[in-house]
């Protein structure tokens, strides 16, 4: 079972991407924050981005941001605080992401001061825009489709939110491991296909032989392994 888990993790290795870090970095002032722990091949199936807090100051200025993640027990865990908590917050805006949805688009508007405005959008159309002004940093690789899942945030802050970016992965890569298993299992129910595969088993790599044998297990065992690998 652990061999199966490692195979799935290795096949997703390198699929996690980072967006551009948008804003202004002030040397000696900007403090960095990042939630990379929640966006690795080891942990990405154990957590999901569930909530975002945006700290607002005077004149609709974005002071900072903090993300929250839920684990498989539905327990919420706070990410790193991206905000100087010595500065007075005039408004705390909360953006909840339902368990059957995911954040897919992120528009960041910047000026010479830093991050002025942020627009969040989920795959099912839930939307939030905070702040005002600035120029949209067009990240077409992230925002032209809804085919990505935003896993975590990173950036920097001083007297306001200076920079912001995210870690993300294509939805097909995220779900591809488990979907491939179910498709192969369906095909293996055809006797001719199954006999052909079994007759050529020694031609497959060891890792592929393991995947094939998993798909031949009884339903309860098969489902248990898939559930374990997705944790």
């Amino acid at each position: 079972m652990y061999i199966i888990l490692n195979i799935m993790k290795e096949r997703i290795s390198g699929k996690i991407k980072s967006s551009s870090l948008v804003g202004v970095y002030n040397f000696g002032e900007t403090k960095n924050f990042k939630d990379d722990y929640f966006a690795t091949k080891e942990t990405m199936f154990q957590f999901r981005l569930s909530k975002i807090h945006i700290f607002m100051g005077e004149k609709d200025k974005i002071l900072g941001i903090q993300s929250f993640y839920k684990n498989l027990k539905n327990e919420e865990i706070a990410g790193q605080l991206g905000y100087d908590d010595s500065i007075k917050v005039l408004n705390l805006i909360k953006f909840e992401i339902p368990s059957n949805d995911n954040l897919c688009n992120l528009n960041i508007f910047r000026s010479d001061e830093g991050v002025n405005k942020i627009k969040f959008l989920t795959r099912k159309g839930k939307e939030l825009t905070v702040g005002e002004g600035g120029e949209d940093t067009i990240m077409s690789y992230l925002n032209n489709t809804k085919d990505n899942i935003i896993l975590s945030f990173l950036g920097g802050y001083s007297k306001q939110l200076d920079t912001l970016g995210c870690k993300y992965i294509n939805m097909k890569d995220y779900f591809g491991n488990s979907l491939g298993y179910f498709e192969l299992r369906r095909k293996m129910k055809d006797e001719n296909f199954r006999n052909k595969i079994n007759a050529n088993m020694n031609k497959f790599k060891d890792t592929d032989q393991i995947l094939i044998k998993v798909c031949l297990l009884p339903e309860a065992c098969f489902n248990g392994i898939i559930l374990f690998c997705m944790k």
Side-chain angles (χ1 to χ4, degrees):
M1 189 176 294
Y2 285 97
I3 295 175
I4 299 293
L5 178 60
N6 288 332
I7 292 170
M8 290 179 69
K9 286 177 179 178
E10 289 305 319
R11 288 188 173 181
I12 209 166
S13 178
K15 302 292 186 179
I16 301 172
K17 300 176 182 179
S18 296
S19 76
S20 302
L21 198 60
V22 177
V24 177
Y25 184 86
N26 298 304
F27 185 77
E29 296 182 18
T30 298
K31 298 178 182 179
N32 297 323
F33 68 92
K34 59 182 178 179
D35 289 343
D36 284 357
Y37 172 75
F38 301 98
T40 72
K41 68 177 184 179
E42 301 291 337
T43 62
M44 62 181 293
F45 293 119
Q46 299 178 30
F47 301 95
R48 69 170 187 86
L49 182 62
S50 60
K51 183 170 63 180
I52 304 167
H53 282 183
I54 304 97
F55 305 93
M56 306 296 296
E58 296 179 350
K59 299 181 181 180
D60 221 16
K61 178 181 287 189
I62 302 174
L63 300 177
I65 188 173
Q66 184 176 26
S67 301
F68 295 80
Y69 306 83
K70 284 193 175 179
N71 61 20
L72 295 171
K73 296 180 180 179
N74 208 37
E75 299 167 333
E76 195 164 70
I77 301 170
Q80 189 173 357
L81 183 63
Y83 151 69
D84 183 348
D85 58 7
S86 68
I87 300 174
K88 183 179 179 181
V89 174
L90 297 184
N91 189 18
L92 174 61
I93 299 175
K94 300 179 181 180
F95 187 59
E96 304 271 356
I97 303 168
S99 59
N100 62 346
D101 202 359
N102 59 267
L103 192 65
C104 61
N105 295 149
L106 175 69
N107 292 84
I108 306 172
F109 299 75
R110 58 153 289 176
S111 69
D112 292 339
E113 295 179 349
V115 176
N116 288 63
K117 184 167 71 173
I118 310 170
K119 178 182 176 181
F120 304 94
L121 181 66
T122 73
R123 182 170 52 86
K124 293 190 175 182
K126 187 173 182 180
E127 182 179 324
L128 173 69
T129 300
V130 295
E132 61 179 26
E135 180 182 354
D136 187 6
T137 306
I138 300 172
M139 299 184 288
S140 57
Y141 54 86
L142 183 63
N143 295 321
N144 275 4
T145 72
K146 291 186 177 182
D147 294 338
N148 294 303
I149 297 175
I150 293 177
L151 302 171
S152 69
F153 287 100
L154 66 156
Y157 64 93
S158 53
K159 294 181 180 179
Q160 71 167 68
L161 185 62
D162 293 335
T163 62
L164 184 66
C166 68
K167 290 287 185 73
Y168 68 98
I169 188 170
N170 185 272
M171 193 175 297
K172 290 182 180 178
D173 292 325
Y174 185 84
F175 291 110
N177 285 315
S178 59
L179 293 178
Y181 271 48
F182 286 107
E183 177 63 17
L184 179 58
R185 181 173 173 81
R186 183 186 67 79
K187 289 183 177 181
M188 291 296 282
K189 292 181 179 180
D190 180 272
E191 185 176 357
N192 291 330
F193 180 84
R194 185 172 63 252
N195 290 339
K196 183 178 179 180
I197 293 294
N198 286 332
N200 293 280
M201 187 69 79
N202 61 348
K203 296 180 181 180
F204 296 108
K205 295 185 297 185
D206 290 344
T207 53
D208 291 329
Q209 290 185 34
I210 292 171
L211 300 182
I212 292 167
K213 290 176 180 178
V214 166
C215 290
L216 293 172
L217 290 171
E219 185 173 357
C221 297
F222 172 79
N223 290 339
I225 290 176
I226 294 298
L227 179 61
F228 178 85
C229 290
M230 292 297 291
K231 290 182 179 180

